[in-house]
Amino acid sequence: MEPRFNLFDSPTAAKVAKRFYNTSLALEGSTLPKPLRELVQLRVGQINGCGLCVDAHTKEATAAGETAVRLSLVAAWRHSTVFTEAERAALRLTEEGTRLGDHGVSDETWAEVRKHYDDDQVGALVCLVSLINAATRMNVIVHNPGGSYEPGMFASAAN
């Protein structure tokens, strides 16, 4: 697959992408563990068919200490024993927050998330799911392929 368009060739899109990345940096300061953040972003990439996001978040998760077994099972987390109750709640929120048109986020899922995460972590999860959904949509629209991502390569987009 060849990219349709380089967003950084558009002055407006480049500004938005830069601000978008800088906004996501606020999540680095949250108490939500980096491996969990990467699992959430990986799951959104899988659901939305974003090769770049699957590539990036698999590699970032590995760099953050995530195991190959857990990464392999993210797509089948409901039928796996390697995720904690808290991680399962976050992944359920991720799926429901990504597939809003199906039925939205259920009260049951919300209660599970609230049981396992404090206010700051819940806020971080909601923002993370929202931001990565926007990123996957941009990448899928312009056909940004996966395969060449190196951990930390988006840091040059900061500021």
Side-chain angles (χ1 to χ4, degrees):
M1 172 174 48
E2 290 295 316
R4 288 178 169 160
F5 184 78
N6 182 342
L7 290 172
F8 291 101
D9 288 344
S10 160
T12 300
K15 286 179 195 173
V16 170
K18 192 175 206 177
R19 286 179 174 95
F20 191 84
Y21 177 78
N22 285 329
T23 298
S24 74
L25 291 176
L27 295 167
E28 296 294 319
S30 79
T31 58
L32 201 61
K34 180 160 178 70
L36 177 62
R37 293 194 314 263
E38 296 302 335
L39 293 176
V40 163
Q41 293 176 104
L42 172 58
R43 187 65 189 122
V44 172
Q46 291 170 335
I47 292 167
N48 289 335
C50 180
L52 177 61
C53 293
V54 170
D55 183 29
H57 297 295
T58 298
K59 290 173 180 172
E60 290 290 349
T62 300
E66 200 51 77
T67 67
V69 169
R70 285 169 47 90
L71 290 173
S72 296
L73 290 171
V74 169
W77 66 268
R78 291 177 189 274
H79 307 286
S80 305
T81 60
V82 298
F83 300 103
T84 66
E85 283 187 35
E87 290 168 333
R88 294 169 72 76
L91 289 167
R92 190 174 304 110
L93 176 70
T94 298
E95 288 189 357
E96 291 180 13
T98 299
R99 296 178 172 138
L100 287 172
D102 293 347
H103 54 73
V105 175
S106 70
D107 291 339
E108 177 186 339
T109 295
W110 189 253
E112 275 298 303
V113 167
R114 294 300 291 161
K115 178 175 148 186
H116 294 286
Y117 298 101
D118 65 27
D119 287 351
D120 187 58
Q121 292 169 324
V122 170
L125 272 171
V126 169
C127 291
L128 180 63
V129 169
S130 300
L131 285 171
I132 191 62
N133 267 287
T136 61
R137 283 161 170 76
M138 285 187 268
N139 287 318
V140 170
I141 289 168
V142 300
H143 285 184
N144 276 336
S148 62
Y149 181 82
E150 295 295 327
M153 77 183 253
F154 291 141
S156 64
N159 297 319

